[in-house]
Amino acid sequence: MNRFGRSAVLTGAAFVALVAAIAASATTAKPDRSTAPTAGAAVTNYVSYVHGKRGKADPKKSKVYIGWVNQQGGQVVIGGLATVGAQLAVRYVNDVLGGVRGHPVALVQCFIKSNEEEGTTCGQKLVNDKRISVIATGAVATGAQSLFATVRGRKPIVTGVAVTPVDGASKNAVVLFGDGPHILLPFGNYAKNVLHAKTAAVIYPNAPGIAEAGQVIAAGLKAAGIDTKQVGYTQGQSDLTAPLTAVGATTADFIAPYGSAADCANQAKSLQQLGITDSRKIMTAPLCLNSTVIDALGDWSKWTYAIASSLYGDKSDKGMPAYEAVINRYKAQKNAPDPWHIVAFSELLTTVRFLNEAGAKNVARITPARVLARAKAFKGPLALGAPKLQCGKYKDAPAICNDMFQAFTYLGKFQWKRASGWIGPLGG
């Protein structure tokens, strides 16, 4: 058990207290001036980024192992393509970036399907494997608390986007792209300073990890002084016209539908039925940029998306060509746009960077402590991510390294328009 209580996902008073504490600092802050539609610093060369050497890893040398945990294979899957992104990064590292000091990299994988206890199983497996000096995770909600409780800081954990606050609370972890309580708060900054909104409506399903994120969005909007209504509905509910009407979506200046890919499709259909189609004032997270939505609607919804990573195909992002080159090399276009694929690909490249730094003189010198030290010292820019990082900025969430996103409006047929530059919470 940790300080968040028994559940791996904050609920009730504990969650409300956390969000209120984070949002409170924004209530009297000056407006963030980073909303201009320009991109930030970018990583354009992966060889130099990972401190590698161009060429194949030597198959005759001993392997360097990275533990990998993702929630997949069960009924609830948040980032199923995270594993594919991680695997692609490892393949590319071994084929082109010289592995870790010439040694091939290998993933030791463990998946959580549906039970909290499976986090314990994965933690035991990876902690007891002496070959592993660092553990990377994908989208883990169920089992996150058990995983961290089992690892107990004996090995550092690198996360792309944290689904629960457990990751961010760990002193022996880094969360490169941030978590919900921090990267969703800037919704308020965007609504206030880009749209000049006075009223807002937030809607989300009552599902673990999803409802809490929706509450964070609402908290950020309220902290910005915006009159905000919010409603959670039964998970799996398809007709959402009633809850949308109840939350005032038909007259709100800003609307934030939040949910999984399946939720996104239902939300879009109901918004269209109500005649709510202004793409600039409807903002969500990149969970909706999924093939499931295309299957249901024929295309992604023409909304604005808050993205804490790079956007696939963004021509204003100088770091995108490097990623696209890898995608083309391995013919991975189908998975390339998925945000979890992008995040995990970057996460594994960055983990390899930490390993190269820790084993600069000899891979035998790679230890969990040395890897953690390199991770904590990393200031960015992050490959396919924020132009700068500040791990340890938040005392109650020392592992969180980023609290910014950039906004894009989807025009249809895979065409985008930048709606803001990198933007953080008010006063951030």
Side-chain angles (χ1 to χ4, degrees):
M1 183 178 293
N2 66 16
R3 68 188 183 87
F4 292 116
R6 191 168 185 271
S7 173
V9 180
L10 282 183
T11 57
F15 178 82
V16 173
L18 173 64
V19 173
I22 297 171
S25 63
T27 56
T28 59
K30 296 180 180 179
D32 190 297
R33 301 183 185 279
S34 63
T35 56
T38 57
V43 173
T44 60
N45 186 313
Y46 290 151
V47 177
S48 60
Y49 179 72
V50 304
H51 301 312
K53 184 176 181 181
R54 184 168 293 279
K56 287 182 175 290
D58 187 347
K60 295 181 181 179
K61 291 185 175 182
S62 59
K63 294 181 179 179
V64 174
Y65 294 88
I66 299 173
W68 173 256
V69 182
N70 195 40
Q71 183 178 326
Q72 62 186 78
Q75 185 177 2
V76 178
V77 178
I78 299 173
L81 289 181
T83 295
V84 180
Q87 292 170 340
L88 178 65
V90 169
R91 184 179 177 186
Y92 180 66
V93 165
N94 289 334
D95 287 349
V96 180
L97 307 184
V100 171
R101 301 297 168 188
H103 293 249
V105 177
L107 286 181
V108 178
Q109 301 178 154
C110 189
F111 300 129
I112 297 171
K113 293 183 179 180
S114 58
N115 298 317
E116 183 68 27
E117 292 75 14
E118 292 174 293
T120 300
T121 301
C122 286
Q124 292 172 340
K125 174 183 177 180
L126 301 179
V127 164
N128 293 331
D129 191 331
K130 296 181 180 180
R131 303 172 302 173
I132 297 172
S133 295
V134 60
I135 299 168
T137 68
V140 180
T142 301
Q145 179 170 293
S146 296
L147 174 67
F148 275 84
T150 303
V151 175
R152 287 189 299 175
R154 286 173 286 182
K155 294 181 180 181
I157 297 180
V158 178
T159 298
V161 174
V163 181
T164 80
V166 176
D167 308 64
S170 174
K171 295 181 180 179
N172 297 290
V174 292
V175 182
L176 299 172
F177 289 82
D179 67 349
H182 298 91
I183 59 175
L184 294 177
L185 277 176
F187 269 57
N189 192 351
Y190 178 87
K192 178 178 181 178
N193 292 313
V194 177
L195 293 185
H196 307 294
K198 302 296 183 183
T199 59
V202 183
I203 184 171
Y204 46 84
N206 287 318
I210 299 294
E212 290 81 5
Q215 293 168 34
V216 171
I217 293 172
L221 290 164
K222 293 174 183 177
I226 298 171
D227 184 6
T228 304
K229 295 180 180 180
Q230 65 192 83
V231 66
Y233 58 87
T234 303
Q235 185 179 17
Q237 182 176 339
S238 58
D239 184 353
L240 302 175
T241 54
L244 280 167
T245 301
V247 83
T250 55
T251 58
D253 299 326
F254 180 78
I255 304 164
Y258 189 86
S260 67
D263 299 315
C264 298
N266 292 330
Q267 291 165 352
K269 291 176 182 178
S270 295
L271 283 168
Q272 289 176 347
Q273 289 177 15
L274 292 172
I276 304 171
T277 59
D278 187 341
S279 58
R280 289 188 72 245
K281 76 174 188 178
I282 305 173
M283 174 180 270
T284 191
L287 292 176
C288 294
L289 300 178
N290 188 285
S291 59
T292 300
V293 177
I294 295 179
D295 292 341
L297 304 178
D299 199 352
W300 290 321
S301 296
K302 294 179 181 178
W303 298 345
T304 298
Y305 295 81
I307 302 176
S309 67
S310 290
L311 173 70
Y312 185 64
D314 175 20
K315 298 186 183 303
S316 69
D317 187 343
K318 294 181 179 179
M320 184 49 59
Y323 177 67
E324 291 175 334
V326 177
I327 294 303
N328 293 334
R329 176 188 179 97
Y330 295 102
K331 297 179 173 57
Q333 288 82 359
K334 180 179 179 180
N335 298 326
D338 185 274
W340 288 104
H341 187 277
I342 292 173
V343 166
F345 179 83
S346 168
E347 177 188 346
L348 265 292
L349 287 187
T350 308
T351 302
V352 169
R353 173 194 176 105
F354 301 152
L355 289 166
N356 269 323
E357 290 176 337
K361 295 183 179 180
N362 189 320
V363 294
R365 298 190 64 193
I366 296 175
T367 64
R370 289 177 65 86
V371 174
L372 179 62
R374 299 314 307 169
K376 290 289 188 180
F378 183 47
K379 302 298 182 183
L382 175 64
L384 301 169
K388 61 180 180 179
L389 300 183
Q390 190 175 345
C391 305
K393 175 180 178 179
Y394 296 95
K395 292 182 179 180
D396 62 342
I400 299 301
C401 300
N402 175 57
D403 60 3
M404 298 188 293
F405 65 65
Q406 49 187 344
F408 296 88
T409 300
Y410 185 59
L411 306 177
K413 298 181 179 179
F414 306 107
Q415 300 298 311
W416 296 86
K417 181 179 180 180
R418 180 176 286 276
S420 81
W422 285 94
I423 178 173
L426 287 164

